[in-house]
Amino acid sequence: MTKSVLPRVALLVLCAAQAAVCQAGGAQFAEKQDAEKLNAALRKLDALITETMARTRVPGLAVAVVYGDKTVFARGYGVRRLGDPAKVDADTVFEIASVSKPIASTIVASLVGTGEVSWNDKIAKLDPGFKLSDESATAEVTVRDLFAHRSGLPTGGGDVLEDLGYSRPEILNLLRYVPLVGPMGKTYHYSNFGLTEGAIAAVRKTGKTWEEIANERLYSRIGMTSTSSRFSDYENNPDKAALHVLWDGEYRNWFVREADSESPAGGVSSNVRDLAKWISLQLNGGRFGGEQVVDAKALEETHRAQICSAVAGPVAMDQCPGGRFYGLGWNVGKTEDGKLQLGHSGAFLLGTSTAVYMIPEEHIGVVVLVNGTPTGVPETVCLTFLDFFRYGEAKRDYMALAGPVFQGMWKENQDVAKDYAKLEPPKKPAAAKDLASYAGTYVSQYYGALKIEVREGRLVMRLPPREAYYELTHWDGDTFTYYFASENTGIARRGVRFLGGGKVLVENLAQAGNDGVFTKVE
């Protein structure tokens, strides 16, 4: 994708002070007070962002606000990469993580609107090779189920395969070995690769790839010229924001996150200028620039609650705690006064955080992109701005609410297995066996073949599928450790335990119903 050549937009004053009635695209201000309400909120936005960045020390941030079909604010702050003076602006491209999901549902809605696919089409019909671990669930699961995270797949199913380097087709094929954690269609479990399969199945009849359809049906149609569903386009864009992980209180540019395997669920890159156009499409019933790009009814269906997301077990929609629902690629809720509110956050724990929020009835939407580990900054800016717009002041400290949630996510990621770097080493460790006795090929039905080798007097592990090289350090007896950093298993020194009987346990791979045990075959 080529960089947008549109001029930078800071702040557009929508209405002259004397105007009694003024228009922003499809939405009209009934009174001068309505225009003043928006402009008053916009005047507070810059200070809010500056204060939030100072409070959290995030490296860079970009924000856009849409009213009706107009981008009324688009600006960047901070730097693209620590140690580099290049500034973030409205054209800077970020990896947007799970904000990709409502974009994916918009793309599928374009196919639904033309009758090429239905939300209720069964995956068994669209993609006969795909299987879940339960035969009846395989036969009944639909595009709708997968986009609403109600297939029964566990949160995280397939994610570690992505960390290891498996391709999208390989991961989707291996989902058949992931035990379901709830009845299909009745329980909510957030699944990147479930939604990915829904998107891939939906476009199969077109004969084109997901990436081609995304560009053809959405990006190129509304001028999202810097948006892509391919990592290579992000990587080759000179105006891109790097990832920054928060480690020991400091942001560090350590990692690269290539998310092509889950492109529909988390692999989009974009900038706030482009995303503002997509928000406008949402606020205007699928219309953009005078053209009906996506059928209004098909798009509206993505905004409807499909399942209660507040609890993991089955619950009636009218009994959903807190009124927290998931639609098709969207979190669906209501404002305090009962208006529909749509939103979605995106998070790469290795270094990006994003959020989008809209209140369609009030014709307002906001998107924030941050090049740092998620701490609640995008959500804070979005929700505080909406308070400014609706009430004239912030109703609560959103950072105080969101911060602990993301700290919990980070802790859960780090606690997926013991971090031996934080443990006291045994004072008198038992000796290991002769290293050659551990060598061999070990196989897991889910993970594939792992190799243990002896190299220059050291034990080496090669993880599937690419035989990635890791040196093992002896800890105690038949337990060794290795350093592993990834999105879903944390940044830590993890354990590898030889269990006897020709089995080895890689502790941080014991996730999503798989025990992380490999059995020796040679």
Side-chain angles (χ1 to χ4, degrees), residues 54-342:
R55 180 177 176 181
T56 61
R57 296 183 295 152
V58 295
L61 178 154
V63 59
V65 176
V66 178
Y67 188 89
D69 66 357
K70 301 296 183 186
T71 302
V72 296
F73 189 99
R75 187 179 296 177
Y77 299 79
V79 295
R80 303 176 205 165
R81 182 193 303 270
L82 286 175
D84 187 326
K87 302 294 185 182
V88 172
D89 58 27
D91 294 310
T92 300
V93 170
F94 291 71
E95 293 185 272
I96 68 171
S98 284
V99 172
S100 303
K101 290 177 174 70
I103 290 178
S105 68
T106 305
I107 294 162
V108 174
S110 75
L111 299 172
V112 171
T114 57
E116 293 165 88
V117 72
S118 164
W119 292 114
N120 296 322
D121 278 350
K122 293 181 178 179
I123 301 300
K125 175 184 175 183
L126 299 174
D127 185 6
F130 177 76
K131 296 185 185 302
L132 295 170
S133 61
D134 180 85
E135 186 175 336
S136 61
T138 298
E140 296 300 322
V141 69
T142 65
V143 176
R144 183 186 302 273
D145 293 322
L146 291 172
F147 266 86
H149 300 298
R150 62 186 201 190
S151 67
L153 282 168
T155 298
D159 289 358
V160 179
L161 295 173
E162 179 189 18
D163 286 343
L164 293 173
Y166 279 94
S167 69
R168 182 192 304 160
E170 290 171 324
I171 296 171
L172 297 180
N173 181 64
L174 288 166
L175 290 182
R176 66 190 63 200
Y177 301 121
V178 176
L180 302 188
V181 291
M184 197 280 299
K186 297 182 180 180
T187 58
Y188 172 85
H189 301 279
Y190 188 85
S191 171
N192 288 318
F193 283 98
L195 189 143
T196 295
E197 169 59 26
I200 299 305
V203 305
R204 276 176 65 89
K205 286 195 291 188
T206 69
K208 297 180 180 179
T209 66
W210 172 257
E211 292 75 12
E212 290 169 336
I213 288 294
N215 184 62
E216 179 183 301
R217 295 302 182 96
L218 182 61
Y219 308 153
S220 65
R221 290 284 298 279
I222 66 174
M224 297 175 72
T225 55
S226 294
T227 302
S228 176
S229 292
R230 296 183 177 91
F231 175 78
S232 59
D233 289 325
Y234 160 81
E235 184 66 12
N236 293 326
N237 193 319
D239 186 0
K240 65 176 180 291
L243 303 188
H244 296 86
V245 66
L246 184 60
W247 190 256
D248 290 337
E250 299 289 337
Y251 281 99
R252 305 166 194 266
N253 173 222
W254 281 351
F255 301 105
V256 174
R257 178 79 160 89
E258 188 262 276
D260 278 350
S261 59
E262 58 165 278
S263 179
V268 175
S269 58
S270 189
N271 58 33
V272 294
R273 198 186 301 284
D274 280 5
L275 291 171
K277 297 174 183 178
W278 167 69
I279 292 172
S280 174
L281 183 84
Q282 302 290 324
L283 295 176
N284 290 280
R287 292 183 64 81
F288 186 86
E291 179 187 0
Q292 193 71 44
V293 177
V294 181
D295 177 78
K297 289 185 178 179
L299 186 64
E300 184 182 12
E301 189 65 17
T302 70
H303 300 168
R304 294 184 186 277
Q306 306 288 328
I307 187 112
C308 176
S309 59
V311 294
V315 62
M317 295 287 273
D318 62 356
Q319 297 177 6
C320 185
R324 289 162 46 199
F325 302 95
Y326 204 84
L328 299 173
W330 284 102
N331 288 307
V332 179
K334 289 187 176 181
T335 62
E336 293 176 356
D337 53 351
K339 295 177 180 178
L340 175 68
Q341 179 170 291
L342 303 170

Side-chain angles (χ1 to χ4, degrees), residues 383-454:
L383 292 169
T384 304
F385 172 77
L386 290 177
D387 277 1
F388 289 164
F389 174 72
R390 305 189 77 230
Y391 308 114
E393 62 181 2
K395 300 288 282 186
R396 52 187 58 86
D397 183 348
Y398 290 101
M399 181 61 71
L401 295 173
V405 174
F406 287 103
Q407 289 169 14
M409 286 176 55
W410 176 257
K411 185 176 186 302
E412 182 180 358
N413 174 272
Q414 287 298 107
D415 290 350
V416 70
K418 287 187 292 187
D419 181 357
Y420 286 77
K422 295 180 179 180
L423 300 179
E424 185 73 25
K427 294 180 179 179
K428 295 182 179 181
K433 297 183 177 66
D434 180 74
L435 295 185
S437 69
Y438 300 118
T441 299
Y442 299 75
V443 172
S444 158
Q445 184 181 50
Y446 183 60
Y447 286 116
L450 172 155
K451 295 182 178 179
I452 301 293
E453 303 171 349
V454 180

